[in-house]
Amino acid sequence: MIFQLPDMIPELPDNWTQIAISLVILAATAWIADWIASRFLHRLLTRVTARTRSTWDDRIVERKVIHRLAHVVPALVIFLGIGPALGVSGADGADPVTDLDPEALTALTWTWIFLRRVAAAWIAVAVVRAFAGFLDAVNDIYNETSPLSKSRPIKGYLQVVALVAYLAAGVVVISILAGLSPVVFLSGVGALAAVLMLVFRDTILSLVASVQIASNDMIRIGDWVSVPQANTDGDVIDIALHTVKIQNWDKTISTIPTHKFISESFKNWRGMSESGGRRIKRSLRLDMNTVRFLDDDRIEELSRRELLHDHMRDIRERIDRYNAAKAEGNPGVIPEIRRLTNLGTFRVYVQKYLEAHPMTHKEMTLLTRQLAPGPQGVPIEVYCFSNDTAWANYEGFQADIFDHLIAVLPEFGLRPFQSPAGSDFAKAMGGGAAPPVSSAGRPVSSPSP
């Protein structure tokens, strides 16, 4: 029995063997052209750019701009060679199809039109990918050569250009495959503008935020920022169109939408780094029961300290003059004379200690003040700036200050305030008590029974 092919399947042309051989040769030629253009040429350019002193050509090769552009070559071979390979020429090869009656087109003509459109669309895709790689190379070159790269990053703007290029390439590809003019296609897309606005909402917000961030110099690469809403605290390592990457101090990386830096608050520590001083603001709470007037012996002992020598001499002269004037008053009334206190003298000592320390910033605020007393004692606050903003050095300096102040408290007859510990409760339950403190701040030993 002889089976007949359905009428819908076109009959093979008489020269189908020749056409098949031509297609195989065309495919082999396209593959060889792609190998030469993408691999051989890429390796050659890599060796050439490695010998040059400039770095911009290295970045172009690293971003595979030439490698991506080389894919145009095989598509161009197919675009130009598919007609001769199929033996289609003249009026039968008219494109678009609307130029001829579709029923009059042969199977070879339809194949020719389809493959030419696919090749042209592939060329558009290869070109836009190469253009996107070129933009990445431009960003790399800008970051390496421009001193403004950290304060004025252009990555977000280049991503906008790449996005527009991809959208335009998408329109061109669809227009080529559909055989329509891009203008006709865009006129139909105009009705979808509202939908596109919703789809690209984050992109539009990020673009506006990128412009505001750059114009106001809000963040730079390398800035230390704190974003409490995102539980983020670390250095900015990348600023892109849609996201800002921050490496936290625990080495994790947080990715925050760019528009969040406009709609929400955050703290940038760049001002502290550029000023050259980092603030120390910490209080030392003292037991109010140890605050008392200084006797003459204690005054003489403290007057021998280097930091208090000049101050004690001047303040004693002023107090003596003031008290002498008071003594000339009514002999029947006890005059209200001035006397030095251990707390006031300690506060002056802390001020002098900070002023003499080599790590305090002498051009910034430096003071020691007494805050309001409360249930937890009387606070003495240290407010100054370290001239070293490095985190480890700053913390070390701050710790050294308070180590010294806590250790020197007994010299002034003062005692730090702290909540009762387990040993305190044990002493209380056992009938024991903390040893009393003398005017010199040293524990007084009880006589042996």
Side-chain angles (χ1 to χ4, degrees), residues 324-346:
K326 283 287 187 176
E328 298 176 357
N330 190 346
V333 178
I334 300 176
E336 188 64 35
I337 61 174
R338 294 179 59 184
R339 301 175 63 184
L340 290 175
T341 63
N342 57 352
L343 182 58
T345 306
F346 174 73

Side-chain angles (χ1 to χ4, degrees), residues 73-137:
V73 177
L76 191 61
V77 170
I78 294 177
F79 183 83
L80 298 177
I82 190 62
L86 295 176
V88 178
S89 61
D92 291 341
D95 190 21
V97 184
T98 54
D99 294 342
L100 296 174
D101 184 6
E103 297 181 357
L105 297 178
T106 63
L108 293 179
T109 305
W110 278 107
T111 304
W112 176 79
I113 293 174
F114 174 75
L115 293 179
R116 275 177 62 94
R117 290 180 179 179
V118 172
W122 181 256
I123 291 174
V125 172
V127 170
V128 73
R129 292 183 71 245
F131 179 69
F134 175 75
L135 293 179
D136 293 335

Side-chain angles (χ1 to χ4, degrees), residues 33-50 57-71:
D34 180 69
W35 184 86
I36 294 175
S38 61
R39 296 187 180 182
F40 178 77
L41 184 61
H42 179 72
R43 294 177 181 176
L44 179 62
L45 290 176
T46 302
R47 295 179 180 179
V48 172
T49 55
D57 50 355
D58 297 329
R59 301 299 165 262
I60 292 179
V61 173
E62 289 176 0
R63 289 297 183 175
K64 299 183 179 180
V65 177
I66 306 300
H67 180 75
R68 295 178 180 180
L69 193 61
H71 292 302

Side-chain angles (χ1 to χ4, degrees), residues 346-390:
F346 174 73
R347 188 176 67 251
V348 174
Y349 172 81
V350 176
Q351 181 75 19
K352 298 294 183 181
Y353 175 78
L354 295 175
E355 292 175 354
H357 202 290
M359 289 192 64
T360 53
H361 203 299
K362 305 305 186 294
E363 297 180 0
M364 295 185 177
T365 305
L366 193 156
L367 58 88
T368 304
R369 59 176 181 169
Q370 181 183 134
L371 302 181
Q376 296 181 345
V378 53
I380 299 296
E381 184 182 75
V382 171
Y383 192 102
C384 65
F385 288 82
S386 168
N387 56 20
D388 193 339
T389 59

Side-chain angles (χ1 to χ4, degrees), residues 187-262:
S187 63
V189 173
L192 301 177
V195 177
L196 293 177
M197 290 291 290
L198 293 176
V199 173
F200 296 103
R201 172 183 173 273
D202 292 338
T203 301
I204 296 173
L205 291 176
S206 299
L207 175 60
V208 175
S210 298
V211 174
Q212 293 182 353
I213 289 174
S215 60
N216 296 325
D217 195 16
M218 299 174 65
I219 55 175
R220 303 175 186 172
I221 295 177
D223 283 354
W224 171 16
V225 297
S226 300
V227 187
Q229 298 85 346
N231 195 22
T232 300
D233 189 19
D235 291 335
V236 178
I237 60 175
D238 184 60
I239 302 175
L241 174 62
H242 296 90
T243 59
V244 174
K245 291 184 179 179
I246 300 175
Q247 186 175 42
N248 299 301
W249 301 127
D250 58 357
K251 299 306 178 182
T252 60
I253 296 178
S254 298
T255 302
I256 302 176
T258 306
H259 61 84
K260 293 291 185 181
F261 287 87
I262 301 300

Side-chain angles (χ1 to χ4, degrees), residues 166-184:
Y166 274 113
L167 292 176
V171 172
V172 172
V173 168
I174 296 176
S175 301
I176 291 175
L177 295 178
L180 300 175
S181 171
V183 178
V184 177

Side-chain angles (χ1 to χ4, degrees), residues 286-293 341-344 378 413-415:
L286 305 179
D287 189 350
M288 287 186 287
N289 294 322
T290 60
V291 179
R292 59 177 55 88
F293 292 112
T341 63
N342 57 352
L343 182 58
V378 53
L414 296 169
R415 185 166 53 207

